[in-house]
Amino acid sequence: LRLLPQQRYLQTERAEVSALERKRNVLCCLITRILKVEKQLHIDNLVFRVIDACQKGELGPGVQFLSFCCHSVDVLSCVLHL
């Protein structure tokens, strides 16, 4: 097995999986932070607040991250996971 060249697509898949995992972690942090402030929030409003925070690049007061594109499906899957 060591004689075979390393497959580049495997590295690409690992990088994509790592990026998706980081994105999920950021979304879960955003959801948790928003729910700590807003105890009762309809799921639709929660999704819109998380998407808005993603577009602005804000994780919370005084904390920022690079903004990225997140879709409602991504946010809903994280909400259901939590």
Side-chain angles (χ1 to χ4, degrees):
L1 291 175
R2 297 235 182 226
L3 298 175
L4 296 174
Q6 190 172 14
Q7 301 295 323
R8 291 182 187 261
Y9 69 89
L10 292 177
Q11 292 175 343
T12 304
E13 287 178 4
R14 288 183 193 134
E16 289 175 2
V17 168
S18 178
L20 285 174
E21 187 65 30
R22 284 192 305 269
K23 185 176 181 178
R24 277 190 221 123
N25 288 339
V26 169
L27 288 175
C28 288
C29 289
L30 280 170
I31 292 166
T32 304
R33 184 170 294 264
I34 290 169
L35 287 177
K36 282 184 178 180
V37 174
E38 301 280 338
K39 300 295 183 199
Q40 294 180 354
L41 192 62
H42 192 271
I43 192 166
D44 293 338
N45 293 333
L46 176 61
V47 169
F48 290 127
R49 298 257 321 253
V50 170
I51 290 173
D52 186 49
C54 287
Q55 290 172 348
K56 291 179 181 176
E58 299 173 349
L59 185 55
V63 181
Q64 290 192 346
F65 63 94
L66 294 175
S67 62
F68 60 88
C69 178
C70 67
H71 301 283
S72 58
V73 175
D74 299 332
V75 178
L76 280 173
S77 69
C78 287
V79 167
L80 293 175
H81 177 73
L82 289 174

